[in-house]
Amino acid sequence: MTPPTLVLSLIALVATVLAAPAATRAARRGPDPLAARTAGLERRPGLLDTYLDRRQGRVWLVAPAGQGELGRYLYVEGLRTGLGSNPVGLDRGQLGRTRLVALRRLGDRLLIEELNLRYRALSERGEERRAAAESFATAVLWAGKVEAEGRDGEALVDLTGFLVRDAHDVVGTLRDTEQGEYELDPERSALDLDGCPAFPDNLEFEALLTFHSDGVAAAEVHATSPSPPTLTLVQHHSLVRLPDDGYRPRPFDPRAGVLHVWFHDYAAPLDQPLERRWIVRHRLRKTDPGAERSPVARPLVYYVDRGIPEPVRSAVVEGASWWAEAFEAAGFEDAFRVELLPEGAHPLDVRYNVIQWVHRATRGWSYGGGVVDPRTGERLKGHISLGSLRVRQDRLLFEGLLGADATGSGGPGDPLELALARIRQLSAHEVGHALGFAHNFAASTYGGRASVMDYPAPLVRLGEDGELDLSAAYGVGVGEWDRQAVRYAYREYPPGTDEAAALAAVVTDGLARGLVYLTDDDARPDGAAQPVASLWDNGTDPVAQLETELAVRRRALDRFGAANVAPGRPLALLEEVLATVYLRHRYQLRAAGKTLGGVDYRYALRGDGQPPARPLPAAAQRRALEVLLTTLEPAALDLPDALLGVLPPRPDGFPPNRELFAGRTGPLFDPLAAAATAARLTIAELLQPERAARLVDQHRRDPDLPGLSEVLDALTAAAFTDATGEPPRLAAIRHAVQEVQVKGLIDLATSGATGAVRWRADAQLRTLHARLQEAALAGDPTAAGLADTIRRHLERQSSASPDPAPPPPPPGDPIGSLGSLPDLGACSFDFSEPRQARLDSRR
């Protein structure tokens, strides 16, 4: 054969091979082990291919070919079903933390590894990124054996063990909430293969998990599980494709009221902070980025749970839809919609933003959040849980104020209509969290109701006729602060705009219009110092509003009776309604209490022109003290006999619950215990340790401001005033208040407060002890009892150990709190030292 002929023959042979059917080529390479292993199983193509083995109840995952890291994904776990207990918190639809995970193959093992995003290096240089990644630990969540390998190198693993595990840490939650020591029971747990759909961008899995304890079931499990101490929950898992690179993170500003993710960026220049913060928000883009107003490429759609009954469902849709106006104001046309969840859609499917309805055995919180890309802060799924009993509690609140006869009438004073007005606001509030917005607890004190992100107390006014006016109980629509927050988080700027300057201008404009932002850390702590940051308050002046609330409370109590419970219902149920009226002032009381030792401050940045932090004026503080003390007057705490006469013991079938006052006269209502409960609210505000320390310090720096001794003297004068001739029924209430005060002073004197605070509390107790001893000698048994209580405290104090040492200084050496170790040299550390000894030295 001549060379040209040989070449032509070879070419023909190659062409024949290439033209051969794929099946023929595969046959020549031998059988595919992966195909053989999955023969007869149900294939689910998607983000990654999975196979369902219905006979064995297992899920097999096909991982990409290769060794080392095979791909990165977002992983989210949560609960589809809940325990139904608000104190425990294992709720239907509860989502866990979103994690960035990598599939990693090492030999015949496939690992699911959580990557550490708290420490990064945002650098173009791979060496910098690698140095940061290798400096901090990752966490392997699970590892499985590769059972078969495809002809092209794909790996087949049994994923069932990853899915049928306590990923949500139910065991830890039950332990932390004192429900006992539980274990996952593998024999009574299984994968739900019908809950394992696959989609191009996400895989969803569900497993039924049974937990059991060998001990006696604690109260919450006993109340909610049909067979305590066993409980069964359905756990959900999502594996999600990483979003593309089209999202641009936006910097966080502490004055903007937006939630954020944060991490350490080890590539930051030396003149820039190591901590990096990016806001949480959805991706929203105009079709015409250069236009002031434009339609959006993909609207935000929030879907409402079909399990919400009417008329609540319509109220939820209406309230959530309020946000459309804020997006319109920011230049986005038709950008936000609220619709019913499509039939058959899973509420935990990451493709849907969902407002879910959650039932519990007792009323509890609602939540707004969802799935966030931890790399960037992009909100991928909004997920809201609305507690179903909240609206019923609101109805009780309004029946306590207005009576139950108007319930269902449809008029402006209908408690049902008022409760629906509240659920509209709640829906908007929780959707606001999912959109990325934080609480603004200052918004109720300026511009009317400037934000749905505050906690609204129903606004009740006394009309000229003395009747209660609830015509404006709740606001309608988003407020000026909400529009401001949307502008900062979502507004899109034309190409070429200096975005940093534009965002700074948004914040500066808000400050110029008085849009103050203060959030949870300013409002929730017992020792909070800023009175404008409060929960469930109204008005610009917290003390004046407290006076209004006390007048409303008095009017409602004066006419409280059988008409405050629905016809045909047991009169004993009035006690649950009474609690909402008797303690109506409790939240405004806290706002007013912050005025004492209070400080007016803002989240100021250098150069932004905001006023410096300064104590509240002396006149305002003393006025607050005066009004607070009026809440301790026996007449304010007394309940009329006509009211007590319609509070019989609870009948069979209506056991006590947590909505009732505790007492010592059971089975009858205990009015003195109720009075002591209300008095405790006020005295706790006056004797709060951090507030007491501020009073000492402010008076030290400015003698015109009230000091702690002044407050203690005023409290004692109010509680222990000369009540000669006071009717016995009021004298008994005064004695209850006195007992609460003595207990409060002892708690303050033995608290972790500063020495100056504890010494002043002790001094007040010594003065009070001498006074009570005189009254005891005159035959006053109450004075004798209180004097004995104080005496026993003082005797314990005299034999107590010395006061604790001052707190240590912050770390000085670069190695932090290891300064107690021997001097090991400027840059050395003896790692041969026993590990436990090293750990002990750090405590």
Side-chain angles (χ1 to χ4, degrees):
M1 184 177 295
T2 61
T5 304
L6 176 60
V7 171
L8 291 174
S9 298
L10 290 173
I11 292 174
L13 178 61
V14 171
T16 301
V17 171
L18 293 176
T24 303
R25 295 199 305 273
R28 291 175 181 171
R29 294 164 57 189
D32 186 335
L34 191 152
R37 185 66 182 80
T38 57
L41 303 184
E42 181 182 332
R43 178 172 177 261
R44 290 276 178 92
L47 173 65
L48 295 169
D49 284 358
T50 54
Y51 288 87
L52 308 186
D53 183 344
R54 293 192 176 273
R55 187 173 65 85
Q56 297 289 333
R58 313 193 79 78
V59 166
W60 296 84
L61 177 75
V62 179
Q67 288 283 337
E69 187 174 309
L70 308 178
R72 295 187 174 191
Y73 308 88
L74 295 180
Y75 167 61
V76 188
E77 50 74 22
L79 298 177
R80 195 194 85 191
T81 65
L83 178 64
S85 166
N86 185 69
V88 176
L90 296 170
D91 291 331
R92 175 196 184 210
Q94 187 176 83
L95 292 178
R97 181 168 54 89
T98 305
R99 310 162 192 245
L100 177 66
V101 299
L103 293 187
R104 185 182 300 278
R105 183 174 176 184
L106 298 177
D108 69 344
R109 306 287 288 175
L110 184 75
L111 290 74
I112 298 179
E113 179 183 25
E114 181 181 357
L115 304 181
N116 195 335
L117 291 177
R118 286 182 293 174
Y119 308 98
R120 323 179 200 173
L122 301 182
S123 171
E124 298 294 330
R125 299 180 62 245
E127 294 85 352
E128 278 193 89
R129 297 196 302 272
R130 184 169 62 254
E134 292 178 355
S135 295
F136 299 96
T138 61
V140 173
L141 304 179
W142 176 85
K145 184 179 180 182
V146 175
E147 300 289 350
E149 187 171 302
R151 188 179 291 111
D152 295 325
E154 309 97 321
L156 182 71
V157 295
D158 183 354
L159 195 64
T160 309
F162 176 70
L163 303 173
V164 187
R165 65 188 178 97
D166 185 15
H168 200 69
D169 193 20
V170 170
V171 167
T173 299
L174 291 169
R175 180 181 61 250
D176 294 344
T177 54
E178 301 181 348
Q179 297 305 301
E181 294 294 331
Y182 279 77
E183 291 183 352
L184 177 66
D185 185 347
E187 298 300 318
R188 289 184 283 176
S189 301
L191 201 62
D192 180 1
L193 295 181
D194 290 330
C196 299
F199 306 102
D201 292 324
N202 57 298
L203 302 177
E204 308 290 330
F205 306 96
E206 284 191 349
L208 182 145
L209 305 181
T210 298
F211 301 88
H212 181 76
S213 173
D214 291 332
V216 177
E220 296 300 326
V221 176
H222 195 276
T224 54
S225 171
S227 295
T230 297
L231 61 99
T232 299
L233 304 172
V234 176
Q235 183 173 262
H236 191 91
H237 308 260
S238 298
L239 198 65
V240 185
R241 186 188 304 277
L242 295 182
D244 61 36
D245 296 332
Y247 176 84
R248 290 190 303 127
R250 179 162 287 184
F252 169 76
D253 188 305
R255 304 163 298 176
V258 187
L259 303 173
H260 65 281
V261 297
W262 72 274
F263 55 94
H264 293 85
D265 177 14
Y266 285 90
L270 290 179
D271 62 346
Q272 297 297 317
L274 190 67
E275 298 84 7
R276 185 73 70 100
R277 293 173 175 84
W278 289 335
I279 68 171
V280 171
R281 59 173 180 161
H282 285 280
R283 184 183 306 205
L284 193 63
R285 292 289 177 263
K286 294 178 179 177
T287 55
D288 183 358
E292 181 67 22
R293 297 182 57 79
S294 168
V296 296
R298 183 181 179 184
L300 294 177
V301 182
Y302 271 70
Y303 295 97
V304 173
D305 190 344
R306 289 178 175 269
I308 305 178
E310 290 289 7
V312 177
R313 183 202 292 174
S314 293
V316 168
V317 171
E318 183 181 345
S321 299
W322 291 349
W323 285 103
E325 184 236 318
F327 284 99
E328 288 282 344
F332 298 98
E333 296 178 358
D334 192 25
F336 185 84
R337 305 173 189 166
V338 183
E339 302 173 2
L340 285 182
L341 187 65
E343 293 278 6
H346 197 302
L348 294 183
D349 189 328
V350 295
R351 297 175 299 169
Y352 298 98
N353 304 308
V354 174
I355 304 172
Q356 195 168 15
W357 197 234
V358 176
H359 300 295
R360 305 182 183 101
T362 56
R363 62 187 173 95
W365 295 100
S366 297
Y367 301 95
V371 178
V372 172
D373 185 345
R375 303 172 307 159
T376 63
E378 179 183 1
R379 176 77 78 191
L380 304 177
K381 169 187 172 62
H383 193 81
I384 291 108
S385 294
L386 298 181
S388 66
L389 295 184
R390 184 70 163 274
V391 68
R392 296 179 181 273
Q393 183 68 17
D394 288 328
R395 191 207 78 218
L396 283 182
L397 185 152
F398 294 117
E399 288 181 345
L401 290 172
L402 302 172
D405 291 343
T407 300
S409 66
D414 181 353
L416 286 182
E417 293 299 321
L418 291 165
L420 290 174
R422 169 67 182 111
I423 205 71
R424 293 184 189 96
Q425 198 282 336
L426 178 63
S427 176
H429 178 97
E430 301 304 343
V431 168
H433 284 317
L435 292 173
F437 305 125
H439 292 131
N440 185 355
F441 289 126
S444 59
T445 64
Y446 60 82
R449 290 153 180 188
S451 178
V452 298
M453 301 313 298
D454 203 333
Y455 281 4
L459 182 61
V460 185
R461 294 172 291 200
L462 279 174
E464 293 182 359
D465 57 357
E467 292 301 312
L468 302 182
D469 178 6
L470 283 85
S471 59
Y474 293 109
V476 177
V478 294
E480 188 59 28
W481 171 258
D482 305 318
R483 288 185 282 272
Q484 165 83 358
V486 169
R487 286 175 64 205
Y488 184 88
Y490 285 93
R491 188 164 185 176
E492 190 174 9
Y493 297 97
T497 301
D498 183 344
E499 186 169 295
L503 292 173
V506 170
V507 174
T508 301
D509 175 66
L511 294 176
R513 290 184 288 130
L515 301 182
V516 177
Y517 166 65
L518 296 165
T519 191
D520 294 71
D521 287 343
D522 311 286
R524 293 187 186 275
D526 291 337
Q530 173 55 286
V532 303
S534 297
L535 285 62
W536 313 113
D537 66 331
N538 273 310
T540 59
D541 182 338
V543 178
Q545 188 63 35
L546 175 59
E547 292 179 302
T548 298
E549 294 295 343
L550 292 172
V552 168
R553 172 183 177 273
R554 185 74 267 163
R555 179 68 182 95
L557 286 174
D558 286 344
R559 69 178 188 183
F560 193 90
N564 292 92
V565 70
R569 300 284 286 167
L571 282 176
L573 300 185
L574 279 169
E575 188 175 346
E576 287 136 314
V577 187
L578 174 62
T580 68
V581 180
Y582 191 73
L583 299 179
R584 172 173 173 77
H585 63 301
R586 65 193 303 180
Y587 297 109
Q588 198 65 47
L589 181 82
R590 292 204 67 183
K594 294 176 186 177
T595 304
L596 277 177
V599 178
D600 184 18
Y601 65 87
R602 306 286 188 270
Y603 295 156
L605 303 188
R606 178 177 174 179
D608 70 1
Q610 295 197 74
R614 54 193 169 217
L616 295 177
Q621 294 197 40
R622 290 191 171 96
R623 178 166 167 265
L625 177 60
E626 179 184 352
V627 175
L628 287 166
L629 292 176
T630 66
T631 67
L632 299 177
E633 294 175 0
L637 297 172
D638 194 20
L639 290 171
D641 287 339
L643 186 157
L644 297 174
V646 292
L647 288 178
R650 300 180 76 82
D652 183 42
F654 294 85
N657 57 62
R658 70 172 190 165
E659 304 294 345
L660 308 179
F661 283 105
R664 300 182 180 87
T665 60
L668 290 170
F669 175 74
D670 186 346
L672 288 179
T677 298
R680 180 182 176 185
L681 296 176
T682 299
I683 291 173
E685 293 300 319
L686 297 173
L687 302 182
Q688 204 285 323
E690 288 83 2
R691 184 164 298 131
R694 289 198 301 274
L695 285 165
V696 171
D697 183 63
Q698 289 181 7
H699 183 68
R700 171 188 69 84
R701 293 185 286 128
D702 182 355
D704 289 337
L705 294 173
L708 177 58
S709 295
E710 178 181 336
V711 171
L712 297 181
D713 288 343
L715 174 58
T716 298
F720 289 86
T721 186
D722 183 4
T724 303
E726 190 171 49
R729 67 179 298 144
L730 296 183
I733 294 176
R734 185 175 301 282
H735 294 157
V737 173
Q738 292 170 350
E739 185 177 358
V740 174
Q741 181 190 338
V742 168
K743 178 65 167 60
L745 284 170
I746 292 174
D747 287 345
L748 183 60
T750 56
S751 70
T754 64
V757 169
R758 290 183 284 109
W759 300 332
R760 284 167 172 78
D762 260 339
Q764 190 72 205
L765 285 166
R766 292 178 189 279
T767 301
L768 193 53
H769 180 255
R771 177 176 172 180
L772 290 169
Q773 279 187 312
E774 292 181 8
L777 292 174
D780 185 340
T782 301
L786 292 175
D788 187 59
T789 298
I790 296 174
R791 177 187 59 78
R792 284 184 276 113
H793 158 71
L794 295 175
E795 288 176 351
R796 285 195 302 269
Q797 289 296 91
S798 64
S799 61
S801 59
D803 291 337
D813 294 333
I815 55 175
S817 58
L818 300 181
S820 59
L821 290 176
D823 184 6
L824 301 174
C827 299
S828 65
F829 188 85
D830 182 7
F831 283 98
S832 65
E833 184 183 7
R835 177 177 180 273
Q836 190 58 50
R838 295 201 307 272
L839 291 177
D840 288 343
S841 71
R842 303 184 192 195
R843 297 195 179 110

